[in-house]
Amino acid sequence: MAATDLLSDRTIQAALKAAAVAGKSRKLSDGAGLVLDVRPTGVGWWRLRFWRDGKEGMISLGTYPVISLKAARIKRNEAREAKAHGADLSEKRKQEKAERARLREVEALEAAGLPGPGTFEYLAREWLEVRHRPAVSEGHAKTTQTRLEKMVFPWLGRRPICEIEPPELLECLRRIESRGALETTHRVKDACSQVFRYGVSTGACARNPAADLREALKPVPTRHFAAIVDPKGVKNLLRDLVAYKGNPITRAALRLSALLLLRPGELRSLEWSWVDFETATLTLPSAVMKRRLDEKANGQPHVVPMAAQVVAIFQELQPLTMHSRYVFPSILTREKCMSENTVRSALRRLGYGNDDMIAHGFRAMARTMLAEQLNVQPEVIEAQLAHAVSDSLGRAYNRTQYLTQRRDMMTMWANYLEQLQSTDEGSRNE
């Protein structure tokens, strides 16, 4: 026993019994900074007091009897030797505590069948919750998660993210590409790239290997929405829409698809509370627009001027659907809007296939013909289409809605379509 050692197991056991009887804690010193905090519960806490830069510090060495007197003295001596060599005992203890917590987390994750910290899947799931989900719609976040779970995690999920190299990621992406799913391949690569960038920012990895694959994948073919954009074809389409013999609500949806320039999802989810006959406007809340999550929450509503022809169609619809919240309610329940396939199916019944005209094609039709046939300024058309300004500075500072110009444009467009439908002329410019 060293000269500084003052305690014995018999002394400690007697002190524990006395503390239990008295119901009070007491401290026993073994010398050289080692102290046992004796509790009435029958447990003692080993503490090591030390001085650094003139300030007293204290670290825990464990509990008695789990840590015996002999083991506590060994820990004390090791700590004093480390301090003599310049170690910061408090910092060393924090690191040890953090490492133990990390190991416990790893064990818990392994027991649950999940990858541990530092793996690609661990960082990807953290990125999904911390960065991705708060920034996008729930549907978008779920799609991203599903793609990672099915197309990436089985091969790279348990790999340390810092060890993944470009060829390994490319091999994973080639599996998707080989199925012909080129757009999905690029979306998965983009998601992986964001995970790696998140890993770099958190210190989990040093680089983003996805950045080196920019030219390694097959490009996604440019695709355009099937749309009729020549005056003669549009004239025939308009006549077919008016002659539609199906549900009158569907017929109105077809006609308004051509007149309002809304996205199909925006059109079918229109609510009567958004229709203002007095000002001849529709006001779509920001939350229903195609925008980023933060823009949906904080963005301006999208105001759509209604031409006289549009107002007339809404007035025709009132007796049919005013009982519902929606202008175009589902045929099954008033509580939901019409199906996303309703307009598409109606176009099919009229003889227009997927390569001829789709619901989204009405926007492309208007975009092309407003510019080519009516000479409307592109920025006014883009504002009506609710397209975001392409540059970040514009998105931050461009608040112009061109409402006056859009009102004139929407009236001009409705009159042009009416004229086109009722005459044999193919174009105003003929």
Side-chain angles (χ1 to χ4, degrees), residues 122-318:
Y122 185 91
L123 267 295
R125 292 189 182 279
E126 189 173 289
W127 166 76
L128 282 166
E129 295 304 318
V130 174
R131 295 284 180 83
H132 191 56
R133 200 174 300 279
V136 301
S137 68
E138 183 56 34
H140 185 174
K142 183 62 178 176
T143 297
T144 303
Q145 179 177 333
T146 300
R147 284 171 173 162
L148 289 172
E149 288 175 345
K150 292 184 176 181
M151 305 174 192
V152 182
F153 291 170
W155 293 275
L156 301 180
R158 281 169 165 70
R159 294 275 290 120
I161 192 171
C162 60
E163 296 180 6
I164 297 174
E165 293 294 329
E168 191 174 4
L169 177 59
L170 179 60
E171 182 181 357
C172 182
L173 295 172
R174 291 282 195 218
R175 293 187 180 93
I176 311 170
E177 187 183 64
S178 65
R179 305 198 311 262
L182 300 184
E183 185 173 348
T184 300
T185 303
H186 282 266
R187 290 188 182 278
V188 171
K189 181 185 80 71
D190 291 343
C192 290
S193 180
Q194 293 182 65
V195 172
F196 282 113
R197 290 204 302 270
Y198 178 72
V200 172
S201 69
T202 59
C205 58
R207 58 189 292 270
N208 173 15
D212 297 329
L213 304 182
R214 190 167 297 141
E215 305 298 329
L217 298 172
K218 295 178 182 178
V220 180
T222 302
R223 293 187 304 173
H224 299 287
F225 291 116
I228 299 172
V229 295
D230 66 286
K232 183 177 180 180
V234 171
K235 176 185 67 176
N236 294 331
L237 172 64
L238 294 172
R239 290 178 175 178
D240 288 337
L241 300 185
V242 172
Y244 181 74
K245 301 301 183 182
N247 188 308
I249 299 173
T250 303
R251 177 173 176 268
L254 286 166
R255 295 169 64 196
L256 289 175
S257 294
L259 289 165
L260 287 176
L261 282 65
L262 293 174
R263 296 178 177 89
E266 296 163 358
L267 178 76
R268 66 189 181 87
S269 64
L270 284 177
E271 299 184 18
W272 280 113
S273 61
W274 305 347
V275 182
D276 189 333
F277 287 109
E278 186 174 337
T279 61
T281 55
L282 293 171
T283 303
L284 281 67
S286 181
V288 304
M289 302 301 294
K290 183 181 178 181
R291 296 172 177 173
R292 288 176 53 88
L293 198 61
D294 57 333
E295 293 170 343
K296 283 178 175 285
N298 305 308
Q300 297 177 340
H302 181 51
V303 179
V304 181
M306 295 192 297
Q309 294 88 334
V310 173
V311 171
I313 295 174
F314 275 112
Q315 289 173 337
E316 292 173 9
L317 276 170
Q318 273 189 308

Side-chain angles (χ1 to χ4, degrees), residues 36 44 46 61-73 75:
L36 182 64
W46 292 111
L61 300 182
T63 60
Y64 181 91
V66 175
I67 302 298
S68 67
L69 175 59
K70 180 179 179 182
R73 285 170 176 167
K75 284 177 172 286

